[in-house]
Amino acid sequence: MGNRSSISLPGFFNCCRKKKEKTDSNVTNTGENLERENWSSKTEYLLAMIGYAVGLGNVWRFPYIAFKHGGGAFLIPFIIMLAIAGLPLFFMECSLGQFASLGPVAIWRIVPILRGVGITMVLISALVSIYYNVIVAYSLYYLFASFTRVLPWSDCMDWANEKCSQTSRGFCNISSGADIFTVNLTWVQDNNLTCIDNSTVEENTELPSQQYWKNVALRRSSGLDETGVVVWHLALCLLLAWILVGAALFKGIKSSGKVVYFTAVFPYVVLLILLIRGATLEGARDGINYFIGTQSDMSKLKNAEAWKDAATQLFYSLSTAWGGIVALASYNKFHNNCYLDAIVVCVINCLTSLFAGFAIFSIMGHMAFSLKKPVPEVVNEGFALAFMAYPEALTKLPVSPLWSILFFFMLLTLGLDSQFALIETITTAIQDAFPKAMKKMRIPITIGCCIFLFLLGLVCVTQAGIFWVNLIDYYCGGWAILIAAILEVVGICWVYGGNRFIQDIEMMLGKKNFCFWLWWRACWFVITPVVLIFILVWSLATLETPVYDNIKYPSWGEALGWCMIIFCIIWIPILAIIKICKTKGNLWQRIVKSAAAAPNWGPALEQNWGERYKHLADLKHDNIDLEIPTVVGKVNASFEPEQ
């Protein structure tokens, strides 16, 4: 459109002549980018993506959310949200990273005014990686504690207090003919009797697994106000967790790509073993029915919260807008079929959630049978399920240490997979900013990142550590990500241009018919941003004070949480203002120029530039500083491809 270029034509022809004389030294005959590296194989990439998307949330949150919103009925909003929000955003990020071979910060050459969105993604990933590795440390601690003849949380031992009990204590009324008697709850349970409705008076008791989690594993204080001392066994486990991460990533994708063969596959082996074992236990059918069987309640779909929770669970489960998808896809070869990859990863992610639900609830059903309680009374989400309810259920199984070792090793591998991608997001951003330094000093830079994040995470292994973990998760894993996701979709579809972006994808995948793109256009332009805005507004409208174990956070804790959110998103307006100020023209011209794709936006390798990005040859030949704002004004018009 308009003049094709203000750069001299001789420069272009000279470049073409040179291109005929020699090939790019950074490219192999197979199209591999030697400067930046590519995945060794398609399998490594897919396993890394599956490991990133499939995490702890699939095991300890999805089953509970599904149960809460009608069991099997919950699959309806879940699948719909996958189609209209999860998959479109996942496909967009895969295509974006692969097309330009850039990480979450440098990728915003596509819309320079939104470069701060990339910074936000990296900062969120950094903050989340701090507490996520603490959860890995919890798994390591329980894994080591399981190597014993009798699980240490199987009974009330010397660390327990007077509230500890394996059975409920209290009284209730039972009927015997015409008479009604008040008896002990333990006696009722031992004799398989039933209390009269609304007659139960229970004492405030806690299971051994609950007290072990609080008194031994965490040595938990009374709240965020009481920091206490560093819990050294957790600190050592955290150190080991960071050593494992650093060892897997010290050579970038060349080393992590080999590790994921084990860490991405092993959880499925364990889930299958647990499902087979759980299905053979008494009460397993009751647990599965509560999860997704005869207890399905379609009426719960009338509640808007079910749809909001489906979108939220899917959004966070797929890890979109965290920067990791863009980072991992950026190491793909240019013509890789990222469309098929996105579908495969999203489908596997959803099926894994279902698979985990069956495995978890079969054993929860057995626990309910053993305790003679309804399934809902032994089901929780998050930490309560992973480190209290499930360990308690494991004590009811024959050879319980073996099942405990398998379960916590599974949690370890699930956590490490996601952690690899979070750190890879950070190192990819560093590599894009300082490619020469990263090439020479990848190992010390990676180790330095791990050490720095380990030191920041020490506050999460103090006696108040669990409150810090919950605080970071509550704030950093929420609104900031939604804001980044909304700006990402709007920036690409409405600023850069959805049709231009589709043309970029077609350069990689080949031409597609109009009907193929009809659905993706509808989602990217309207449906997906509307759904994300709905989730954001709903989350803010239903905002509550964060709590953990019914303990409210102090006002300064809430303020600190909001400061973390502001710290992540403040770079969006700051970098936008800086970009506008450095650009020449009146205010509107500056905004327009700052929003236009940078001169160096396009495929990384010269062989993939094609006709649409042939101007990059001129810029490369003339050694123009592509980041100077004035260059954008001179050549902006020439960089808009034909619509």
Side-chain angles (χ1 to χ4, degrees):
M1 298 174 64
N3 295 326
R4 295 305 302 172
S5 178
S6 60
I7 298 176
S8 62
L9 289 177
F12 170 75
F13 291 118
N14 288 336
C15 179
C16 291
R17 283 195 296 270
K18 289 184 178 182
K19 189 162 61 175
K20 290 179 180 179
E21 294 171 3
K22 62 178 181 179
T23 58
D24 192 337
S25 60
N26 293 326
V27 187
T28 66
N29 293 331
T30 60
E32 183 175 358
N33 189 341
L34 298 179
E35 186 69 25
R36 199 174 189 276
E37 297 183 332
N38 292 117
W39 292 99
S40 299
S41 69
K42 179 69 169 283
T43 303
E44 291 184 8
Y45 166 66
L46 284 176
L47 288 176
M49 289 291 270
I50 291 170
Y52 181 44
V54 176
L56 298 172
N58 297 75
V59 173
W60 73 23
R61 191 170 188 270
F62 176 83
Y64 174 83
I65 296 296
F67 162 74
K68 176 183 174 183
H69 293 297
F74 181 72
L75 291 180
I76 296 175
F78 189 72
I79 292 173
I80 291 175
M81 287 299 172
L82 170 65
I84 66 176
L87 184 54
L89 199 56
F90 198 94
F91 177 36
M92 173 180 282
E93 293 194 2
C94 286
S95 304
L96 196 63
Q98 181 175 304
F99 179 77
S101 299
L102 295 171
V105 177
I107 200 71
W108 286 100
R109 293 174 185 175
I110 191 172
V111 186
I113 199 172
L114 292 179
R115 189 180 183 88
V117 174
I119 300 293
T120 295
M121 292 178 176
V122 173
L123 289 176
I124 291 172
S125 293
L127 288 172
V128 169
S129 70
I130 293 172
Y131 83 80
Y132 207 86
N133 230 22
V134 173
I135 300 174
V136 174
Y138 295 156
S139 303
L140 278 169
Y141 174 75
Y142 270 81
L143 175 63
F144 295 145
S146 300
F147 284 93
T148 180
R149 288 181 177 272
V150 179
L151 291 177
W153 55 85
S154 60
D155 203 353
C156 299
M157 301 184 186
D158 55 357
W159 39 260
N161 58 34
E162 66 280 358
K163 292 183 180 180
C164 183
S165 175
Q166 290 184 307
T167 58
S168 299
R169 294 199 298 245
F171 301 91
C172 75
N173 296 331
I174 62 170
S175 61
S176 177
D179 298 322
I180 296 178
F181 301 93
T182 300
V183 294
N184 188 285
L185 281 176
T186 303
W187 187 84
V188 172
Q189 294 171 349
D190 291 342
N191 291 275
N192 293 324
L193 299 176
T194 304
C195 295
I196 297 175
D197 290 343
N198 301 320
S199 68
T200 302
V201 178
E202 291 192 29
E203 295 180 14
N204 186 16
T205 60
E206 295 177 337
L207 291 170
S209 59
Q210 290 177 279
Q211 293 216 343
Y212 184 86
W213 167 244
K214 292 191 296 185
N215 300 339
V216 181
L218 298 179
R219 297 185 183 177
R220 201 187 79 187
S221 66
S222 60
L224 194 66
D225 288 316
E226 186 184 350
T227 302
V229 299
V230 172
V231 181
W232 286 107
H233 59 256
L234 289 181
L236 292 174
C237 288
L238 181 62
L239 177 61
L240 177 58
W242 278 112
I243 290 174
L244 291 174
V245 172
L249 296 176
F250 78 102
K251 286 188 177 179
I253 61 170
K254 295 300 182 184
S255 55
S256 65
K258 301 299 182 292
V259 176
V260 293
Y261 277 105
F262 176 76
T263 57
V265 174
F266 183 77
Y268 292 96
V269 176
V270 176
L271 284 174
L272 179 61
I273 294 172
L274 291 176
L275 177 59
I276 294 172
R277 181 67 184 101
T280 63
L281 298 171
E282 289 184 287
R285 179 176 295 180
D286 294 334
I288 292 175
N289 283 341
Y290 268 96
F291 171 51
I292 197 169
T294 58
Q295 300 294 325
S296 293
D297 185 0
M298 300 296 291
S299 64
K300 290 191 175 183
L301 300 186
K302 297 177 183 179
N303 188 349
E305 187 177 0
W307 294 83
K308 188 268 291 185
D309 281 352
T312 303
Q313 169 63 22
L314 189 65
F315 186 73
Y316 298 134
S317 177
L318 292 174
S319 302
T320 48
W322 294 60
I325 297 172
V326 175
L328 295 177
S330 69
Y331 297 103
N332 275 332
K333 294 179 182 178
F334 186 75
H335 293 293
N336 172 64
N337 191 346
C338 57
Y339 171 70
L340 181 61
D341 294 345
I343 293 177
V344 168
V345 173
C346 289
V347 170
I348 289 177
N349 179 276
C350 294
L351 292 178
T352 302
S353 296
L354 285 173
F355 189 33
F358 282 112
I360 298 299
F361 268 78
S362 64
I363 296 182
M364 288 292 104
H366 175 68
M367 181 181 177
F369 174 83
S370 300
L371 296 176
K372 298 178 176 62
K373 288 184 176 183
V375 175
E377 292 187 18
V378 297
V379 173
N380 292 287
E381 67 168 318
F383 299 111
L385 174 61
F387 299 109
M388 285 188 279
Y390 208 86
E392 181 68 26
L394 293 172
T395 64
K396 311 298 180 185
L397 300 179
V399 199
S400 54
L402 172 63
W403 304 111
S404 183
I405 290 169
L406 286 175
F407 177 73
F408 288 109
F409 198 73
M410 177 189 69
L411 288 188
L412 173 65
T413 54
L414 284 172
L416 285 175
D417 266 342
S418 299
Q419 188 71 1
F420 292 159
L422 289 171
I423 303 305
E424 195 66 58
T425 303
I426 300 170
T427 56
T428 299
I430 296 173
Q431 176 170 322
D432 290 339
F434 309 101
K436 293 182 180 179
M438 196 65 176
K439 190 172 183 179
K440 295 178 181 178
M441 302 181 63
R442 172 176 287 276
I443 294 177
I445 289 175
T446 302
I447 293 174
C449 286
C450 291
I451 292 174
F452 178 69
L453 294 172
F454 164 72
L455 294 175
L456 291 179
L458 285 176
V459 70
C460 295
V461 290
T462 61
Q463 290 180 278
I466 189 65
F467 296 99
W468 285 99
V469 169
N470 193 59
L471 182 73
I472 301 173
D473 178 55
Y474 185 82
Y475 285 100
C476 294
W479 300 290
I481 297 174
L482 288 171
I483 292 171
I486 292 168
L487 290 175
E488 181 179 45
V489 176
V490 171
I492 292 172
C493 291
W494 291 98
V495 181
Y496 176 71
N499 291 331
R500 292 177 64 184
F501 183 58
I502 288 172
Q503 289 177 333
D504 290 339
I505 297 175
E506 288 182 333
M507 286 181 63
M508 298 186 297
L509 305 182
K511 290 286 184 179
K512 303 292 182 181
N513 60 48
F514 179 79
C515 294
F516 174 86
W517 289 115
L518 191 60
W519 172 252
W520 301 110
R521 280 190 171 95
C523 289
W524 288 340
F525 278 95
V526 181
I527 300 175
T528 302
V530 168
V531 169
L532 295 178
I533 292 171
F534 167 76
I535 299 172
L536 178 62
V537 172
W538 182 284
S539 300
L540 292 174
T542 57
L543 176 64
E544 297 179 352
T545 302
V547 296
Y548 177 78
D549 198 19
N550 296 319
I551 299 175
K552 287 189 175 182
Y553 280 73
S555 298
W556 67 266
E558 292 182 65
L560 182 61
W562 283 107
C563 286
M564 285 189 286
I565 291 182
I566 293 171
F567 173 70
C568 290
I569 65 176
I570 193 66
W571 303 102
I572 299 174
I574 287 178
L575 294 186
I577 292 172
I578 292 174
K579 184 69 177 177
I580 292 171
C581 291
K582 288 185 175 180
T583 306
K584 294 184 177 180
N586 58 43
L587 181 59
W588 177 247
Q589 289 174 334
R590 291 183 178 194
I591 293 174
V592 171
K593 292 175 182 177
S594 298
N600 56 345
W601 166 253
L605 300 181
E606 186 174 350
Q607 65 186 43
N608 298 320
W609 289 345
E611 188 68 21
R612 294 181 66 236
Y613 288 92
K614 64 182 181 181
H615 60 268
L616 294 175
D618 295 327
L619 301 180
K620 179 180 179 181
H621 172 68
D622 292 341
N623 293 319
I624 295 178
D625 184 356
L626 302 178
E627 297 299 325
I628 298 177
T630 53
V631 175
V632 180
K634 293 179 180 179
V635 298
N636 176 47
S638 65
F639 298 145
E640 297 184 9
E642 298 293 343
Q643 297 295 315

